Amino acid sequence: MSHCWKPILACLSLFVLVAVGCNRGADKSQSDQSPAAAIGGADNDTSKPADNNAPALKKSNADSRHPEVLIETSMGNITLRLDREKAPGTVDNFLFHAASGFYNGTVVHQVFKDQGILAGGYGENLVEKAPIQPTIRNEADNGLKNLRGTIAMNRKPDNMDSATSQFFINVVDNPSLDYKDRTSAGYGYCVFGNVIQGMEVVNRINTVALRDTANFERTPAEPIVVRSVQRLR
């Protein structure tokens, strides 16, 4: 079962997003994962990743500590810089899926406008791909925040260590997804890198027409295909 972010009206007219079932007809599986996010004004953190330009890395150890990855999609390319220093297990898991070709031919299967885009687990027919790796330990307590342009792992809301292949890119700052405490509800969603080129592609994906099906809410009306995920360096 896939879960999605669904806004409900809370106090002080603040819209809060909570995980609810949106793949209604499927059994629970690795895709039974969904962040809960808050809609509101951006916080005052000045460390947001730049849309297209990130600070230059020192050449020494750059490949191993901060690998760069190209996601080629049917709507354009997105380049990521990953942070193996802060999220070593998560980065290695993502690179394993990329190197194995697991992501090739998958789709952006849900778009939560002005919140985030979710990918990494479903083919064009919206059938879930079988996991090729065990679930990984959640590294959300690494100090990295779910800021606009960051990439994070998706997981089951009631199991902090349940991420496998699915990931999301934050379209806005989502502080409610950050690590708060060592409980399933408060552990957060692990950020492991950020977009350094192609944020305009993420923005375009954020605005595509959506449709609801018997099994999915908020899936792109026209498939957005991940053609390949390749390590650049």
Side-chain angles (χ1 to χ4, degrees):
M1 181 188 296
S2 176
H3 283 284
C4 67
W5 299 316
K6 183 177 182 179
I8 60 172
L9 189 60
C11 61
L12 302 178
S13 300
L14 178 68
F15 281 96
V16 180
L17 298 171
V18 295
V20 297
C22 49
N23 188 353
R24 304 179 186 90
D27 293 332
K28 286 193 175 182
S29 63
Q30 63 120 356
S31 66
D32 190 7
Q33 317 165 355
S34 181
I39 303 176
D43 59 23
N44 294 322
D45 193 325
T46 58
S47 62
K48 300 173 188 176
D51 282 0
N52 290 306
N53 296 302
L57 291 171
K58 292 181 180 178
K59 195 149 190 176
S60 172
N61 294 325
D63 284 356
S64 62
R65 299 189 322 191
H66 297 276
E68 293 182 4
V69 172
L70 176 68
I71 301 178
E72 181 185 1
T73 83
S74 55
M75 289 192 67
N77 295 344
I78 302 165
T79 304
L80 306 170
R81 178 170 292 154
L82 308 183
D83 194 334
R84 189 183 260 130
E85 288 184 294
K86 296 291 184 66
T90 306
V91 168
D92 286 347
N93 175 71
F94 185 79
L95 292 175
F96 176 86
H97 281 87
S100 72
F102 179 89
Y103 290 129
N104 301 353
T106 58
V107 295
V108 175
H109 58 274
Q110 287 182 303
V111 172
F112 301 93
K113 290 183 184 277
D114 299 324
Q115 298 162 46
I117 63 174
L118 184 61
Y122 287 80
E124 288 189 60
N125 52 7
L126 293 180
V127 172
E128 184 181 8
K129 295 189 71 171
I132 59 171
Q133 281 273 81
T135 57
I136 59 174
R137 186 181 76 81
N138 192 337
E139 297 174 312
D141 59 344
N142 59 14
L144 299 178
K145 305 297 184 182
N146 281 275
L147 301 176
R148 169 176 163 78
T150 56
I151 183 172
M153 291 303 294
N154 199 16
R155 65 172 177 88
K156 296 179 182 180
D158 59 351
N159 185 344
M160 68 181 75
D161 296 324
S162 57
T164 54
S165 65
Q166 288 190 46
F167 61 88
F168 60 94
I169 297 176
N170 289 293
V171 177
V172 297
D173 295 354
N174 284 310
S176 68
L177 302 184
D178 295 338
Y179 172 83
K180 297 174 183 62
D181 57 54
R182 292 186 172 275
T183 65
S184 291
Y187 210 87
Y189 295 78
C190 177
V191 172
F192 62 100
N194 63 275
V195 175
I196 58 172
Q197 287 186 323
M199 195 63 196
E200 72 280 0
V201 176
V202 177
N203 293 337
R204 284 201 301 271
I205 294 173
N206 177 57
T207 64
V208 299
L210 304 177
R211 65 189 175 99
D212 292 344
T213 70
N215 293 326
F216 269 96
E217 294 177 356
R218 299 175 184 174
T219 191
E222 295 294 329
I224 302 169
V225 181
V226 176
R227 291 171 175 159
S228 67
V229 178
Q230 304 173 50
R231 181 171 177 173
L232 299 176
R233 67 179 187 84

